[in-house]
Amino acid sequence: RKPPKQLISLDERKEVEGQVTNKSNSSALVKLKQPSNVSEELWGYLPWSEMEKELQLGEEVRCRILSLQGEKLALTMRTSDCSLKDFACKDVLNGVVQEVTALGIFVRLQPLRGGRACRGLVHVSLLKANDDFAEGDLVKVQVQNATVTLQLSLAE
């Protein structure tokens, strides 16, 4: 199936508003407020690594369009325009813990080959029960995926 014409006309990086309607282990589903040129409901998914904080059901959010993946809009709450293209799978990097949440640890990283720093997530499912992190901790992580979001694991 092709995405609706209205989705194609939405610019990446365009700011949108919506409401969190569902949450999963990897993302939140956001029902977007309809722009005047869109006749059907629009939905986007907001990966955990693209959130500025943990979101609650029903919460109103302001996001930017990160990309169009098939018929789904990938959203971001990040304000910096880091480029995930500067990261490669299996890169091992040193980073700084920015936030510890029930979702895992958010880590700020500088790409190996230069570019702007990005924020990635080591999901809680990849942490050991005895792992204890605090904001400001230095950690070594490995890039697991850098297509839509920066997904990380702890490096040995």
Side-chain angles (χ1 to χ4, degrees):
R1 286 175 30 179
K2 291 183 179 178
K5 289 179 185 174
Q6 293 94 334
L7 288 185
I8 295 170
S9 68
L10 289 175
D11 297 327
E12 285 190 15
R13 302 292 180 203
K14 176 181 170 66
E15 194 168 279
V16 293
E17 294 179 353
Q19 184 178 41
V20 176
T21 59
N22 199 358
K23 295 180 359 177
S24 73
N25 289 341
S26 60
S27 64
L29 183 64
V30 178
K31 181 180 177 184
L32 301 177
K33 292 184 180 175
Q34 294 176 287
S36 58
N37 67 328
V38 176
S39 59
E40 57 192 278
E41 288 184 340
L42 292 177
W43 298 82
Y45 71 98
L46 183 59
W48 293 124
S49 60
E50 297 298 321
M51 295 180 193
E52 294 294 321
K53 62 181 181 120
E54 191 168 351
L55 300 174
Q56 304 301 316
L57 288 177
E59 186 172 344
E60 296 287 326
V61 293
R62 175 172 275 151
C63 309
R64 288 183 304 130
I65 297 171
L66 186 62
S67 65
L68 178 61
Q69 303 285 316
E71 291 188 356
K72 295 181 184 176
L73 288 174
L75 305 173
T76 183
M77 292 177 79
R78 292 184 299 164
T79 54
S80 71
D81 283 324
C82 76
S83 175
L84 297 180
K85 293 175 185 167
D86 293 332
F87 295 88
C89 271
K90 307 303 178 194
D91 279 354
V92 176
L93 305 157
N94 293 314
V96 177
V97 175
Q98 281 195 311
E99 187 177 4
V100 179
T101 71
L103 303 171
I105 58 172
F106 288 93
V107 179
R108 186 96 176 143
L109 303 167
Q110 193 70 37
L112 284 175
R113 292 162 285 288
R116 295 183 72 153
C118 284
R119 180 174 141 140
L121 173 68
V122 179
H123 193 269
V124 67
S125 65
L126 300 174
L127 299 173
K128 297 176 186 143
N130 61 346
D131 285 338
D132 187 29
F133 295 98
E135 279 184 39
D137 285 354
L138 297 177
V139 293
K140 185 178 277 193
V141 295
Q142 184 175 41
V143 176
Q144 298 300 308
N145 188 336
T147 52
V148 176
T149 64
L150 191 53
Q151 298 169 0
L152 310 170
S153 66
L154 294 178
E156 299 298 321

